Amino acid sequence: MSSIGRASGLVLVISVLSLGALAGCSSSPAPPGPSAPPSPSGSPAPSSPAPVTTASPTAPAPTTRVVSFRVSYPWHWPNDVNRPGQVQHSYPIPPLPRLIAIGAGDHPAQQGERAYNRMSFTFTTAFPSYQFTFTKALMADPSGKPVKLAGNGVLTITFHQAQAHTVSGGSSVLAQPPAQLGLNRMVSWAPAGDFEGVVTVGIGIGWPNPQSNPQFAVRATEVEKVTAQGQHRYVVAIDIDATG
C-alpha cells in the first residue's frame, strides 16, 4: 500500500472515532419542542352550561267568594195574607246596613227553572229586614207623593233598619241600573225613600193585558260574600216570575 492510501485510511478512522466520542459525551436533554398552537379563530373555548332557572309559581289572584246562600222567601204571590212577602232579621245597631249597589238582569228558563227577572241590593254590615208587595202606585217616603213609574203595576220593596246615604248625606249607592230596565216583567225602577232607617224602592211591572190582575210569584234570596279585599257584602235578590 502506498503512503497516500495509508494516510487516507488513518484520517477516516480518526473521524469516525471523534464522532462517536462526541455522541457519547452529550448528556443534556433535548430542548422542549414548540408549544401547541392556539385554537383557530372563531372556535370558542368550551364553557360550563348556564344554570337552569325555574319561575316560582304565581299565587292565584284573590277573588270574591260566597260564604252563604239561602232562599229567604220561596216562590209565592207576596200579597197573600197567609204568606206575606216579608223577611225579618235581628242584628246589633249601629251601624245600620248601608245600601251600596243595585243590579238588575234577566234570567231565562233553564234546567227546569222558571224564567225570571231579578233586582239585587247589596248592603254592608248585615242583611236588613225587608218586605215586598204589589201596589197600584209607588209612594215617596216621607212625603207620600206618587213616584211615576213605567208599567202596569208596582212591586214596592221596603228595607227596615237600613240606609242609602253616607255620613255626609250623599248617596251611598255606587252602582245602579238605568231607570228604564226594559225587561219583560221589570220594566222600570225608582228610589222612593231613605228616611229614618227605612229605604224604599219601587219596580214597575209590566204584563201583556193591562186589564188583568195577575198574581205573579216572587222569590227572595240572600247571599253573603267576601270580596277580594276581605269585605263582607250582603246581597238581597228579589226575583219576579217572567214565564209567559
Side-chain angles (χ1 to χ4, degrees):
M1 177 181 291
S2 65
S3 59
I4 296 173
R6 289 195 299 271
S8 299
L10 181 61
V11 171
L12 178 61
V13 170
I14 293 172
S15 298
V16 171
L17 292 174
S18 298
L19 289 173
L22 291 173
C25 293
S26 178
S27 61
S28 300
S35 59
S39 58
S41 175
S43 300
S47 59
S48 301
V52 178
T53 58
T54 57
S56 58
T58 303
T63 58
T64 299
R65 61 185 178 88
V66 174
V67 175
S68 65
F69 167 84
R70 81 179 186 110
V71 176
S72 54
Y73 184 83
W75 287 113
H76 196 69
W77 184 51
N79 290 42
D80 185 349
V81 294
N82 295 314
R83 291 180 59 187
Q86 60 184 22
V87 179
Q88 299 292 328
H89 284 283
S90 177
Y91 44 89
I93 56 172
L96 293 176
R98 178 178 286 116
L99 179 63
I100 59 172
I102 301 173
D106 182 48
H107 294 258
Q110 57 181 350
Q111 298 181 350
E113 176 68 71
R114 68 181 75 191
Y116 60 91
N117 295 167
R118 166 173 288 181
M119 179 163 278
S120 60
F121 305 86
T122 302
F123 292 87
T124 63
T125 307
F127 290 108
S129 298
Y130 51 96
Q131 63 187 57
F132 43 92
T133 184
F134 287 108
T135 58
K136 292 183 179 180
L138 176 62
M139 311 304 292
D141 178 30
S143 69
K145 296 180 179 179
V147 178
K148 188 175 181 180
L149 275 179
N152 306 114
V154 176
L155 181 69
T156 298
I157 307 168
T158 306
F159 296 98
H160 298 276
Q161 290 190 327
Q163 62 185 22
H165 60 272
T166 63
V167 176
S168 61
S171 174
S172 60
V173 180
L174 304 177
Q176 63 185 32
Q180 301 303 314
L181 299 174
L183 304 177
N184 67 326
R185 193 68 70 229
M186 297 181 177
V187 297
S188 63
W189 81 282
D194 176 20
F195 183 69
E196 293 186 349
V198 178
V199 176
T200 306
V201 174
I203 303 175
I205 307 300
W207 53 82
N209 184 1
Q211 306 304 321
S212 65
N213 185 24
Q215 295 183 353
F216 292 120
V218 176
R219 177 181 65 177
T221 61
E222 298 177 351
V223 178
E224 180 183 354
K225 300 180 179 181
V226 177
T227 68
Q229 294 74 34
Q231 301 165 320
H232 284 255
R233 295 293 181 255
Y234 303 85
V235 183
V236 176
I238 303 297
D239 303 332
I240 300 181
D241 186 358
T243 306

